[in-house]
Amino acid sequence: NAEYMGLVAKGAPARQGLTDEHIYTEIYNAWLKDIRERHSADTQKAFRDVAERCIKDKEISLGKERIGVNMCLALSSALQRANITKLDLYHNAIRDAGCEALAHYLREDRVLTHLNLGGNDIGSVGIQAIAGVFGTHPKLQTLILGSEVEDTHLNRIDPIAARLLVEKCRGSKTLKVLDLSRNPIGHGSQEAFPAIQQ
């Protein structure tokens, strides 16, 4: 169930009248939509395997699991009741719409210290949706939005979006690492990162 997966804090009150089983089912159905499969005994077992492998006590590491906007919407709702300190969604396909979904969770979150959204085909729209969160987040220390050469869905953060992000992050009292590697910042990086040059 959802409590077993670590997505629902033990003893937390039911959110909007939902039971743990409802939340688990919502996340499972969202996962099915993202991977474009139908419910079956095999997909149910596969989801359990993903949960056991990727979801630990206070960490969720769903890298390379074909996560998309549907899972982001479901996770955004469920994580508001959890105390997750690390969320790693590296090398998926959450795109700008997934960022917009996660922004709702991030605005309310108070405990996350590590967020990896690298390699997710995120562009300027996604950055605009989440940038404002990072300057005021009370705990976030690491923000990864970079990509690797072999990633299927490289992020597409341009100089204007990068500058907006850096300006917002300058307000953070906790952020130590900001990774924008292999984004198409190009020559605009000189203007995007005046704070880093100081």
Side-chain angles (χ1 to χ4, degrees), residues 43-62:
T43 56
Q44 202 165 30
K45 181 182 183 303
F47 182 68
R48 272 195 223 101
D49 290 344
V50 168
E52 289 178 7
R53 184 176 69 254
C54 302
I55 302 174
K56 306 300 180 188
D57 182 25
K58 292 187 177 182
E59 298 185 0
I60 296 179
S61 297
L62 289 166

Side-chain angles (χ1 to χ4, degrees), residues 60-160:
I60 296 179
S61 297
L62 289 166
K64 300 183 180 181
E65 294 293 345
R66 299 159 64 193
I67 303 300
V69 64
N70 296 295
M71 272 290 281
C72 287
L73 286 165
L75 284 172
S76 183
S77 175
L79 290 176
Q80 290 180 23
R81 299 180 54 207
N83 292 312
I84 300 300
T85 58
K86 178 179 180 179
L87 179 59
D88 184 347
L89 300 179
Y90 171 72
H91 196 109
N92 284 291
I94 71 170
R95 300 188 169 91
D96 290 339
C99 275
E100 291 174 327
L102 290 173
H104 297 292
Y105 151 64
L106 292 168
R107 286 189 197 102
E108 302 298 323
D109 176 73
R110 293 293 177 266
V111 297
L112 194 70
T113 62
H114 181 108
L115 178 62
N116 187 345
L117 300 178
N120 270 290
D121 192 25
I122 297 169
S124 58
V125 173
I127 293 304
Q128 289 172 17
I130 61 174
V133 175
F134 302 128
T136 57
H137 195 283
K139 293 284 182 69
L140 192 67
Q141 298 177 16
T142 301
L143 174 59
I144 301 173
L145 291 162
S147 304
E148 297 296 333
V149 174
E150 67 274 10
D151 288 349
T152 307
H153 303 290
L154 277 74
N155 285 344
R156 303 168 286 103
I157 301 170
D158 62 24
I160 296 173

